[in-house]
Amino acid sequence: MSKKTLVEAAMGRATDRTPIWFLRQAGRYLPEYRAIRKDIEFVDLCKNPALAAEVTLQPLRRFDLDAAIIFSDILIPCTAMGQHLTFDSGHGPVLTHPIRSAQDLFKLHHPNVEKELGYVGEAITLTKKGLRPDQTMIGFAGAPFTVASYMIEGSGSKTFTEVKKLRYTQPQVFEELMELIAAVTSEYLLMQVKAGADCLMLFDTWANQMTAEDYRDLVFPHMNRVIEAVKAKWDGPLIYYPGQTLEWLFELNGFLGDVIAVDWRSRLPRAIALIENLGLNVSVQGNLDPQAFMAPESLLRRNVRQILEAGQKARGHIFNVGHGLLPHTPPEALLIAIDEVRSFDKTRGSSH
Ligand code: 1CP
Protein backbone atom coordinates (compact mmCIF):
# COMPACT_ATOMS: atom_id res chain seq x y z
CA MET A 1 0.00 0.00 0.00
CA SER A 2 1.35 3.39 -0.88
CA LYS A 3 2.27 5.55 2.09
CA LYS A 4 0.37 8.70 2.94
CA THR A 5 2.76 11.64 2.58
CA LEU A 6 1.08 13.78 5.24
CA VAL A 7 0.88 10.96 7.79
CA GLU A 8 4.59 10.21 7.28
CA ALA A 9 5.64 13.86 7.73
CA ALA A 10 3.35 14.22 10.75
CA MET A 11 5.08 11.26 12.36
CA GLY A 12 8.53 12.66 11.54
CA ARG A 13 9.39 10.04 8.92
CA ALA A 14 11.10 10.85 5.60
CA THR A 15 8.88 11.74 2.62
CA ASP A 16 9.69 12.28 -1.05
CA ARG A 17 7.72 15.51 -1.12
CA THR A 18 6.45 18.16 1.28
CA PRO A 19 2.79 17.51 2.03
CA ILE A 20 0.56 20.50 1.35
CA TRP A 21 -3.05 21.37 2.09
CA PHE A 22 -4.90 24.54 3.15
CA LEU A 23 -7.02 25.32 6.21
CA ARG A 24 -10.58 26.02 4.89
CA GLN A 25 -9.61 24.70 1.46
CA ALA A 26 -13.30 24.02 0.79
CA GLY A 27 -15.37 27.15 1.03
CA ARG A 28 -16.62 30.41 -0.34
CA TYR A 29 -13.53 31.34 -2.41
CA LEU A 30 -14.46 28.46 -4.78
CA PRO A 31 -17.31 29.18 -7.28
CA GLU A 32 -18.26 25.48 -7.29
CA TYR A 33 -18.78 25.70 -3.48
CA ARG A 34 -20.91 28.83 -3.80
CA ALA A 35 -23.01 27.04 -6.44
CA ILE A 36 -23.93 24.29 -3.95
CA ARG A 37 -24.23 26.63 -0.96
CA LYS A 38 -26.72 28.97 -2.66
CA ASP A 39 -29.45 26.32 -2.31
CA ILE A 40 -28.64 25.03 1.18
CA GLU A 41 -27.87 26.43 4.63
CA PHE A 42 -24.37 25.81 5.97
CA VAL A 43 -25.49 23.57 8.87
CA ASP A 44 -27.74 21.52 6.57
CA LEU A 45 -24.79 21.09 4.18
CA CYS A 46 -22.66 19.76 7.06
CA LYS A 47 -25.43 17.29 7.96
CA ASN A 48 -25.84 15.96 4.39
CA PRO A 49 -23.12 13.29 3.86
CA ALA A 50 -23.30 13.22 0.03
CA LEU A 51 -23.08 17.01 -0.33
CA ALA A 52 -20.49 17.36 2.46
CA ALA A 53 -18.31 14.76 0.71
CA GLU A 54 -18.76 16.54 -2.62
CA VAL A 55 -17.72 19.89 -1.16
CA THR A 56 -14.76 18.26 0.65
CA LEU A 57 -13.49 16.87 -2.67
CA GLN A 58 -13.94 20.08 -4.70
CA PRO A 59 -10.50 21.58 -3.92
CA LEU A 60 -8.78 18.26 -4.65
CA ARG A 61 -10.16 18.28 -8.19
CA ARG A 62 -8.59 21.68 -8.84
CA PHE A 63 -5.36 21.41 -6.88
CA ASP A 64 -2.59 18.85 -6.33
CA LEU A 65 -3.17 18.48 -2.56
CA ASP A 66 -2.01 15.83 -0.12
CA ALA A 67 -5.07 15.89 2.13
CA ALA A 68 -8.81 16.40 2.34
CA ILE A 69 -10.35 17.78 5.55
CA ILE A 70 -13.91 16.77 6.15
CA PHE A 71 -16.35 19.60 5.51
CA SER A 72 -17.97 20.36 8.84
CA ASP A 73 -17.55 22.85 11.68
CA ILE A 74 -16.18 22.71 15.20
CA LEU A 75 -19.65 23.68 16.49
CA ILE A 76 -21.54 20.78 14.89
CA PRO A 77 -21.18 18.55 18.03
CA CYS A 78 -22.90 21.31 20.08
CA THR A 79 -26.07 20.57 18.10
CA ALA A 80 -25.99 17.00 19.45
CA MET A 81 -25.49 18.32 22.99
CA GLY A 82 -28.74 20.30 22.91
CA GLN A 83 -27.87 23.72 21.49
CA HIS A 84 -29.37 24.92 18.23
CA LEU A 85 -26.81 26.30 15.74
CA THR A 86 -27.31 28.85 13.00
CA PHE A 87 -24.86 30.94 10.98
CA ASP A 88 -26.18 34.46 10.39
CA SER A 89 -24.59 35.65 7.18
CA GLY A 90 -21.94 38.16 8.15
CA HIS A 91 -22.36 37.58 11.89
CA GLY A 92 -20.83 34.13 12.38
CA PRO A 93 -22.27 31.36 14.54
CA VAL A 94 -25.17 31.67 16.97
CA LEU A 95 -25.85 28.94 19.55
CA THR A 96 -29.08 28.93 21.60
CA HIS A 97 -29.17 28.15 25.36
CA PRO A 98 -25.75 29.58 26.28
CA ILE A 99 -24.15 27.88 29.29
CA ARG A 100 -24.02 30.40 32.13
CA SER A 101 -25.01 28.34 35.22
CA ALA A 102 -25.12 24.84 36.74
CA GLN A 103 -28.74 24.54 35.52
CA ASP A 104 -27.70 25.30 31.95
CA LEU A 105 -24.94 22.72 32.19
CA PHE A 106 -27.29 20.14 33.67
CA LYS A 107 -29.61 20.47 30.66
CA LEU A 108 -26.83 19.51 28.23
CA HIS A 109 -26.96 16.05 26.76
CA HIS A 110 -24.00 13.64 26.39
CA PRO A 111 -24.75 12.34 22.89
CA ASN A 112 -24.30 8.89 21.45
CA VAL A 113 -21.84 10.13 18.82
CA GLU A 114 -22.35 7.21 16.43
CA LYS A 115 -26.10 7.82 16.33
CA GLU A 116 -26.30 11.58 16.67
CA LEU A 117 -23.19 12.65 14.74
CA GLY A 118 -22.92 9.62 12.47
CA TYR A 119 -23.50 11.79 9.38
CA VAL A 120 -19.96 13.15 9.81
CA GLY A 121 -18.62 9.59 9.73
CA GLU A 122 -20.72 8.81 6.65
CA ALA A 123 -19.31 11.89 4.89
CA ILE A 124 -15.76 10.76 5.75
CA THR A 125 -16.39 7.26 4.36
CA LEU A 126 -17.83 8.72 1.16
CA THR A 127 -15.02 11.27 0.74
CA LYS A 128 -12.38 8.59 1.16
CA LYS A 129 -13.66 6.79 -1.92
CA GLY A 130 -12.57 9.82 -3.94
CA LEU A 131 -9.00 9.96 -2.58
CA ARG A 132 -5.81 8.41 -3.94
CA PRO A 133 -4.07 5.99 -1.57
CA ASP A 134 -1.29 8.50 -0.90
CA GLN A 135 -3.78 11.24 0.09
CA THR A 136 -4.75 11.71 3.73
CA MET A 137 -8.29 12.00 5.09
CA ILE A 138 -8.28 14.50 7.97
CA GLY A 139 -11.02 14.40 10.61
CA PHE A 140 -11.28 17.21 13.17
CA ALA A 141 -12.91 18.73 16.21
CA GLY A 142 -12.63 21.92 18.21
CA ALA A 143 -10.48 21.62 21.32
CA PRO A 144 -12.54 21.77 24.55
CA PHE A 145 -11.82 25.42 25.42
CA THR A 146 -12.55 26.82 21.96
CA VAL A 147 -15.84 24.90 21.78
CA ALA A 148 -16.69 25.91 25.39
CA SER A 149 -16.13 29.56 24.53
CA TYR A 150 -18.88 29.44 21.88
CA MET A 151 -21.17 27.35 24.12
CA ILE A 152 -20.83 29.91 26.93
CA GLU A 153 -20.95 33.10 24.84
CA GLY A 154 -23.62 31.77 22.47
CA SER A 155 -21.68 33.34 19.59
CA GLY A 156 -18.23 34.55 18.64
CA SER A 157 -16.78 37.16 20.99
CA LYS A 158 -14.09 39.83 21.14
CA THR A 159 -13.78 40.08 24.93
CA PHE A 160 -14.90 36.61 26.11
CA THR A 161 -16.65 38.29 29.05
CA GLU A 162 -19.13 35.47 29.71
CA VAL A 163 -16.34 32.90 29.51
CA LYS A 164 -14.26 34.86 32.03
CA LYS A 165 -17.32 35.44 34.26
CA LEU A 166 -18.00 31.70 34.42
CA ARG A 167 -14.33 30.89 34.97
CA TYR A 168 -13.95 33.45 37.81
CA THR A 169 -17.34 33.20 39.51
CA GLN A 170 -18.41 29.56 38.93
CA PRO A 171 -15.14 27.66 38.34
CA GLN A 172 -16.80 24.32 39.09
CA VAL A 173 -19.34 24.80 36.29
CA PHE A 174 -16.55 25.85 33.92
CA GLU A 175 -14.53 22.75 34.86
CA GLU A 176 -17.48 20.37 34.44
CA LEU A 177 -18.36 21.86 31.07
CA MET A 178 -14.75 21.36 29.92
CA GLU A 179 -14.89 17.74 31.16
CA LEU A 180 -18.12 17.05 29.30
CA ILE A 181 -16.82 18.57 26.04
CA ALA A 182 -13.53 16.67 26.36
CA ALA A 183 -15.36 13.35 26.81
CA VAL A 184 -17.69 13.98 23.85
CA THR A 185 -14.78 15.19 21.70
CA SER A 186 -12.66 12.09 22.21
CA GLU A 187 -15.61 9.84 21.33
CA TYR A 188 -16.39 12.03 18.31
CA LEU A 189 -12.80 11.84 17.03
CA LEU A 190 -12.67 8.07 17.48
CA MET A 191 -15.93 7.77 15.54
CA GLN A 192 -14.23 9.70 12.68
CA VAL A 193 -11.25 7.32 12.82
CA LYS A 194 -13.62 4.36 12.60
CA ALA A 195 -15.22 5.97 9.53
CA GLY A 196 -11.84 6.33 7.79
CA ALA A 197 -9.95 9.40 9.09
CA ASP A 198 -6.17 8.87 8.72
CA CYS A 199 -5.18 11.96 10.69
CA LEU A 200 -6.98 14.14 13.25
CA MET A 201 -6.80 17.85 13.97
CA LEU A 202 -7.84 19.76 17.10
CA PHE A 203 -8.59 23.47 16.62
CA ASP A 204 -7.94 25.67 19.67
CA THR A 205 -8.29 29.04 17.96
CA TRP A 206 -9.19 30.91 21.18
CA ALA A 207 -6.68 29.27 23.58
CA ASN A 208 -4.81 32.58 23.51
CA GLN A 209 -7.69 34.32 25.31
CA MET A 210 -6.82 32.82 28.67
CA THR A 211 -3.95 33.90 30.91
CA ALA A 212 -0.83 31.76 30.60
CA GLU A 213 -1.56 30.19 34.00
CA ASP A 214 -5.19 29.41 33.13
CA TYR A 215 -4.13 27.96 29.79
CA ARG A 216 -1.66 25.70 31.60
CA ASP A 217 -4.03 24.67 34.43
CA LEU A 218 -7.55 24.81 32.96
CA VAL A 219 -7.26 24.53 29.17
CA PHE A 220 -4.25 22.44 28.19
CA PRO A 221 -4.96 19.42 30.49
CA HIS A 222 -8.44 18.85 29.00
CA MET A 223 -7.11 19.15 25.47
CA ASN A 224 -4.26 16.77 26.20
CA ARG A 225 -6.65 14.30 27.82
CA VAL A 226 -8.65 14.20 24.58
CA ILE A 227 -5.45 13.21 22.76
CA GLU A 228 -4.65 10.64 25.46
CA ALA A 229 -8.08 9.01 25.13
CA VAL A 230 -7.83 8.91 21.34
CA LYS A 231 -4.27 7.57 21.39
CA ALA A 232 -5.27 4.78 23.77
CA LYS A 233 -7.26 3.29 20.87
CA TRP A 234 -5.50 4.50 17.73
CA ASP A 235 -1.91 5.11 16.61
CA GLY A 236 -2.39 7.72 13.87
CA PRO A 237 -1.17 11.34 13.94
CA LEU A 238 -2.88 14.30 15.60
CA ILE A 239 -2.31 17.98 14.73
CA TYR A 240 -2.95 20.69 17.37
CA TYR A 241 -3.65 24.30 16.33
CA PRO A 242 -3.30 26.62 19.33
CA GLY A 243 -4.47 29.72 17.43
CA GLN A 244 -2.42 32.87 17.63
CA THR A 245 0.57 31.21 19.16
CA LEU A 246 2.16 33.20 21.93
CA GLU A 247 5.38 31.93 23.41
CA TRP A 248 3.75 30.48 26.50
CA LEU A 249 1.59 28.29 24.32
CA PHE A 250 4.72 26.35 23.61
CA GLU A 251 4.90 25.40 27.29
CA LEU A 252 3.17 22.24 26.26
CA ASN A 253 4.56 20.06 29.00
CA GLY A 254 3.73 16.45 28.25
CA PHE A 255 1.95 17.27 24.97
CA LEU A 256 0.73 14.01 23.45
CA GLY A 257 0.04 15.16 19.87
CA ASP A 258 2.34 14.77 16.86
CA VAL A 259 2.18 18.13 15.07
CA ILE A 260 1.88 21.78 16.15
CA ALA A 261 0.08 23.95 13.58
CA VAL A 262 1.68 27.39 13.71
CA ASP A 263 -0.35 30.58 13.28
CA TRP A 264 0.76 33.02 10.51
CA ARG A 265 1.75 35.68 13.06
CA SER A 266 4.59 33.54 14.44
CA ARG A 267 8.00 33.33 12.82
CA LEU A 268 8.33 29.67 11.89
CA PRO A 269 12.09 29.39 12.67
CA ARG A 270 11.41 30.80 16.16
CA ALA A 271 8.51 28.40 16.73
CA ILE A 272 10.67 25.46 15.65
CA ALA A 273 13.52 26.57 17.96
CA LEU A 274 11.09 26.90 20.90
CA ILE A 275 9.69 23.45 20.24
CA GLU A 276 13.21 22.04 20.18
CA ASN A 277 14.21 23.85 23.39
CA LEU A 278 11.24 22.32 25.15
CA GLY A 279 12.32 18.87 24.00
CA LEU A 280 9.02 18.29 22.18
CA ASN A 281 9.31 15.58 19.55
CA VAL A 282 6.75 16.99 17.08
CA SER A 283 6.46 18.05 13.44
CA VAL A 284 5.14 21.47 12.41
CA GLN A 285 2.41 22.66 10.07
CA GLY A 286 2.08 26.11 8.53
CA ASN A 287 2.30 29.00 8.31
CA LEU A 288 1.74 31.22 5.25
CA ASP A 289 -0.30 34.40 5.83
CA PRO A 290 -3.66 33.58 4.15
CA GLN A 291 -3.68 37.17 2.82
CA ALA A 292 -0.36 36.56 0.98
CA PHE A 293 -2.31 35.14 -1.98
CA MET A 294 -3.06 38.73 -2.96
CA ALA A 295 0.67 39.43 -3.44
CA PRO A 296 2.36 39.58 -6.86
CA GLU A 297 3.62 36.15 -7.96
CA SER A 298 7.31 36.76 -7.15
CA LEU A 299 6.53 37.92 -3.60
CA LEU A 300 4.13 35.03 -2.98
CA ARG A 301 6.79 32.57 -4.19
CA ARG A 302 9.40 34.19 -1.93
CA ASN A 303 7.11 33.91 1.11
CA VAL A 304 6.33 30.27 0.35
CA ARG A 305 10.03 29.46 -0.09
CA GLN A 306 11.00 31.12 3.21
CA ILE A 307 8.53 28.88 5.01
CA LEU A 308 9.80 25.79 3.19
CA GLU A 309 13.38 26.62 4.13
CA ALA A 310 12.44 27.16 7.77
CA GLY A 311 10.50 23.89 7.74
CA GLN A 312 13.69 21.99 6.93
CA LYS A 313 14.80 22.45 10.52
CA ALA A 314 11.73 20.74 11.94
CA ARG A 315 11.30 17.01 12.55
CA GLY A 316 8.74 17.09 9.72
CA HIS A 317 6.94 19.92 7.91
CA ILE A 318 3.44 20.08 6.45
CA PHE A 319 3.01 23.19 4.29
CA ASN A 320 -0.19 25.13 5.02
CA VAL A 321 -1.57 28.57 5.71
CA GLY A 322 -1.38 29.85 9.30
CA HIS A 323 -5.20 30.34 9.46
CA GLY A 324 -8.14 29.59 7.17
CA LEU A 325 -8.36 30.78 3.56
CA LEU A 326 -10.57 33.86 3.19
CA PRO A 327 -13.50 34.25 0.74
CA HIS A 328 -11.58 36.73 -1.46
CA THR A 329 -8.65 34.32 -2.05
CA PRO A 330 -8.00 34.01 -5.82
CA PRO A 331 -8.01 30.23 -6.53
CA GLU A 332 -5.26 30.67 -9.18
CA ALA A 333 -2.86 31.94 -6.51
CA LEU A 334 -3.04 28.55 -4.77
CA LEU A 335 -1.65 26.99 -7.97
CA ILE A 336 1.41 29.24 -7.68
CA ALA A 337 2.01 28.31 -4.03
CA ILE A 338 1.66 24.60 -4.82
CA ASP A 339 4.04 24.93 -7.78
CA GLU A 340 6.61 26.63 -5.54
CA VAL A 341 6.37 23.79 -3.00
CA ARG A 342 6.79 21.14 -5.69
CA SER A 343 9.75 22.89 -7.32
CA PHE A 344 11.43 23.31 -3.92
CA ASP A 345 11.09 19.54 -3.42
CA LYS A 346 12.78 18.90 -6.80
CA THR A 347 15.79 21.03 -5.90
CA ARG A 348 16.40 19.48 -2.50
CA GLY A 349 15.73 15.77 -3.18
CA SER A 350 14.23 13.55 -0.49
CA SER A 351 12.99 15.27 2.69
CA HIS A 352 14.54 15.09 6.16
O1 1CP B 1 -21.05 30.65 4.87
C1 1CP B 1 -20.45 29.58 4.84
O2 1CP B 1 -20.36 28.88 3.83
C2 1CP B 1 -19.84 29.13 6.14
C3 1CP B 1 -18.41 29.50 6.34
C4 1CP B 1 -17.75 28.41 7.16
C5 1CP B 1 -17.05 27.30 6.66
C6 1CP B 1 -16.75 26.97 5.23
C7 1CP B 1 -17.81 28.27 8.57
C8 1CP B 1 -18.49 29.18 9.51
N1 1CP B 1 -17.16 27.10 8.92
C9 1CP B 1 -16.67 26.49 7.79
C10 1CP B 1 -15.99 25.20 7.70
C11 1CP B 1 -14.97 24.88 8.71
N2 1CP B 1 -14.82 25.42 9.97
C12 1CP B 1 -13.99 23.88 8.54
C13 1CP B 1 -14.01 22.98 7.32
C14 1CP B 1 -12.85 22.34 6.79
C15 1CP B 1 -11.85 23.21 6.03
O3 1CP B 1 -11.97 23.30 4.80
O4 1CP B 1 -10.89 23.69 6.66
C16 1CP B 1 -13.20 23.89 9.70
C17 1CP B 1 -11.97 23.05 10.00
C18 1CP B 1 -13.74 24.85 10.59
C19 1CP B 1 -13.22 25.10 11.94
C20 1CP B 1 -13.70 26.28 12.71
N3 1CP B 1 -14.96 26.81 12.78
C21 1CP B 1 -12.88 27.01 13.61
C22 1CP B 1 -11.43 26.68 13.92
C23 1CP B 1 -10.50 27.19 12.89
C24 1CP B 1 -10.48 28.69 12.71
O5 1CP B 1 -10.95 29.16 11.66
O6 1CP B 1 -9.97 29.39 13.60
C25 1CP B 1 -13.67 28.02 14.17
C26 1CP B 1 -13.23 29.06 15.20
C27 1CP B 1 -14.98 27.89 13.63
C28 1CP B 1 -16.16 28.70 13.95
C29 1CP B 1 -16.69 29.35 12.74
N4 1CP B 1 -17.40 28.69 11.75
C30 1CP B 1 -17.71 29.55 10.74
C31 1CP B 1 -17.21 30.84 11.09
C32 1CP B 1 -17.41 32.09 10.28
C33 1CP B 1 -16.53 30.69 12.32
C34 1CP B 1 -15.75 31.75 13.08
C35 1CP B 1 -16.63 32.70 13.78
C36 1CP B 1 -15.89 33.55 14.78
O7 1CP B 1 -15.08 34.39 14.36
O8 1CP B 1 -16.13 33.37 15.98
Side-chain angles (χ1 to χ4, degrees):
M1 206 178 87
S2 99
K3 290 199 168 149
K4 295 186 183 292
T5 317
L6 186 145
V7 169
E8 295 300 299
M11 290 305 207
R13 297 190 285 260
T15 55
D16 53 12
R17 66 183 205 174
T18 307
I20 175 170
W21 67 285
F22 299 99
L23 298 169
R24 293 267 172 104
Q25 63 191 22
R28 276 174 296 175
Y29 77 105
L30 289 179
E32 57 270 36
Y33 171 80
R34 294 197 297 269
I36 289 187
R37 188 56 181 82
K38 74 176 179 4
D39 299 321
I40 187 165
E41 283 302 322
F42 175 71
V43 175
D44 297 330
L45 176 53
C46 294
K47 294 188 175 186
N48 180 320
L51 282 181
E54 166 59 24
V55 165
T56 303
L57 287 167
Q58 283 177 342
L60 285 94
R61 298 201 186 102
R62 268 182 188 255
F63 310 117
D64 175 20
L65 299 168
D66 294 288
I69 182 161
I70 192 60
F71 189 83
S72 185
D73 195 83
I74 59 165
L75 302 179
I76 288 292
C78 308
T79 66
M81 293 170 77
Q83 293 184 301
H84 184 72
L85 172 66
T86 48
F87 281 88
D88 285 6
S89 54
H91 297 284
V94 177
L95 281 169
T96 58
H97 309 94
I99 311 304
R100 310 269 171 90
S101 67
Q103 288 91 309
D104 296 334
L105 176 68
F106 185 69
K107 284 191 206 126
L108 284 178
H109 162 70
H110 186 140
N112 174 328
V113 295
E114 304 258 350
K115 277 210 185 106
E116 291 166 83
L117 294 162
Y119 51 83
V120 177
E122 277 176 54
I124 287 176
T125 307
L126 283 174
T127 304
K128 228 180 154 178
K129 292 187 181 146
L131 297 183
R132 296 192 312 261
D134 64 297
Q135 288 174 319
T136 299
M137 180 75 234
I138 303 175
F140 74 88
F145 177 72
T146 292
V147 174
S149 72
Y150 287 99
M151 292 180 78
I152 297 165
E153 294 285 338
S155 66
S157 173
K158 286 202 167 73
T159 54
F160 295 78
T161 302
E162 295 297 335
V163 174
K164 300 289 176 114
K165 196 190 280 173
L166 197 70
R167 180 264 170 268
Y168 287 122
T169 65
Q170 301 179 77
Q172 192 59 31
V173 176
F174 179 83
E175 178 68 17
E176 282 176 26
L177 176 63
M178 291 287 284
E179 273 170 24
L180 173 66
I181 300 169
V184 173
T185 304
S186 44
E187 291 161 22
Y188 179 55
L189 289 174
L190 282 167
M191 182 272 284
Q192 295 182 51
V193 165
K194 205 165 148 194
D198 309 300
C199 177
L200 295 171
M201 183 154 174
L202 269 177
F203 288 93
D204 218 352
T205 308
W206 304 123
N208 54 54
Q209 296 297 324
M210 291 299 251
T211 65
E213 289 80 5
D214 277 359
Y215 175 76
R216 185 193 59 206
D217 300 338
L218 306 178
V219 173
F220 175 78
H222 291 284
M223 185 282 298
N224 216 27
R225 231 167 276 136
V226 171
I227 305 181
E228 189 178 30
V230 170
K231 293 261 173 181
K233 298 196 171 156
W234 175 68
D235 61 5
L238 189 140
I239 307 170
Y240 178 55
Y241 176 72
Q244 187 179 331
T245 322
L246 309 174
E247 284 190 21
W248 55 262
L249 276 174
F250 285 108
E251 286 179 36
L252 301 166
N253 247 328
F255 175 64
L256 294 167
D258 306 282
V259 182
I260 303 275
V262 181
D263 176 89
W264 57 270
R265 295 164 185 86
S266 302
R267 278 176 292 150
L268 193 58
R270 175 113 178 92
I272 292 168
L274 274 167
I275 285 169
E276 196 171 309
N277 283 345
L278 287 162
L280 285 180
N281 186 22
V282 294
S283 301
V284 295
Q285 174 174 287
N287 75 336
L288 185 71
D289 179 2
Q291 303 275 27
F293 294 109
M294 292 189 291
E297 177 167 344
S298 58
L299 180 55
L300 173 59
R301 284 189 184 273
R302 203 187 321 146
N303 287 353
V304 169
R305 190 159 281 253
Q306 271 171 2
I307 289 166
L308 290 165
E309 278 161 6
Q312 293 296 295
K313 296 226 163 59
R315 179 186 86 161
H317 178 218
I318 300 164
F319 188 89
N320 206 319
V321 274
H323 201 181
L325 295 181
L326 294 155
H328 59 266
T329 305
E332 317 77 58
L334 298 195
L335 291 170
I336 296 171
I338 295 165
D339 181 67
E340 190 60 27
V341 173
R342 300 297 179 225
S343 50
F344 180 79
D345 284 339
K346 278 193 201 112
T347 57
R348 95 204 142 98
S350 175
S351 163
H352 294 95

